[in-house]
Amino acid sequence: MSTRLKRLVFWSLFLLFVIDAAVIYTLGTENDSGKGFLSEEAKEGKLLFQKYNCISCHQIYGLGGYMGPDLTNVMSTSGKGELYVKSFIQNGTQRMPDFQLNEKEINALTEYLRYVDKTGISPVINFEIEYDGTITQKSNQ
Ligand code: HEC
């Protein structure tokens, strides 16, 4: 290969590298790193969740207290969902306090739990590794 051709190949690759790096390091930097998923109502719910310390008894993404159940997917679990969640928050139980919340607060907490449900799975799904290296999901129930 002539020196001229080698130089051409080198500089072409170098140019491609520069373009690639420029695209990668500038694309999507204006993203709000997921904060946009959280609606105003869900944000209020998150603050209420912190204010009433729900996490002292409940887990989200598997982390928190263990007196009550994990709430990560309570909104999408079959047999549970919005009305189920609201009735717990509104009335409490023998073991869960009734926080005397108004409708707006209950709706906000429900919205927050809806957001949480979309962002994670808990408990972690069991995966099984197949003979060809692919994985299949095993149901937890
Ligand atoms: C003192 C502990 C405690 C606190 C604080 C608490 N909970 Fe609970 N919660 C429980 C227990 C325990 C249960 C399970 C029902 C039972 O055994 O009475 C429960 C059940 C629930 C359920 C139904 C879950 C399911 O999968 O069946 C929801 C929803 C819930 N709580 C939401 C909340 C929210 C929202 C807060 C904060 C505003 C909160 N809880 C604060 C103890 C608590």
Side-chain angles (χ1 to χ4, degrees):
M1 205 193 284
S2 75
T3 313
R4 214 185 133 84
L5 186 62
K6 280 183 191 162
R7 282 207 178 115
L8 183 71
V9 169
F10 173 78
W11 286 114
S12 314
L13 288 175
F14 183 73
L15 188 68
L16 282 176
F17 165 74
V18 170
I19 294 170
D20 183 47
V23 169
I24 285 170
Y25 286 104
T26 54
L27 239 178
T29 46
E30 66 285 345
N31 245 343
D32 69 356
S33 46
K35 277 182 241 141
F37 293 132
L38 207 59
S39 68
E40 283 307 312
E41 199 180 10
K43 274 184 206 160
E44 266 172 52
K46 184 172 199 270
L47 291 177
L48 290 168
F49 200 84
Q50 289 167 349
K51 182 177 166 190
Y52 293 104
N53 212 3
C54 311
I55 204 79
S56 63
C57 295
H58 291 282
Q59 310 100 62
I60 281 189
Y61 313 132
L63 298 172
Y66 284 93
M67 188 177 163
D70 191 309
L71 297 180
T72 315
N73 300 123
V74 68
M75 289 298 280
S76 63
T77 304
S78 74
K80 296 188 178 175
E82 188 168 334
L83 285 178
Y84 177 90
V85 165
K86 281 184 173 165
S87 77
F88 270 92
I89 300 176
Q90 191 168 25
N91 307 307
T93 66
Q94 276 188 324
R95 294 162 66 216
M96 171 169 157
D98 173 2
F99 294 97
Q100 312 285 334
L101 301 175
N102 61 35
E103 205 178 320
K104 194 167 169 278
E105 292 172 311
I106 294 172
N107 287 340
L109 276 167
T110 313
E111 247 353 90
Y112 173 60
L113 289 177
R114 198 189 307 284
Y115 157 80
V116 168
D117 189 35
K118 282 191 202 136
T119 55
I121 295 169
S122 188
V124 176
I125 296 167
N126 287 321
F127 286 107
E128 190 138 294
I129 300 175
E130 299 294 324
Y131 69 95
D132 59 356
T134 57
I135 51 174
T136 45
Q137 190 175 319
K138 289 250 139 201
S139 118
N140 281 315
Q141 273 84 36

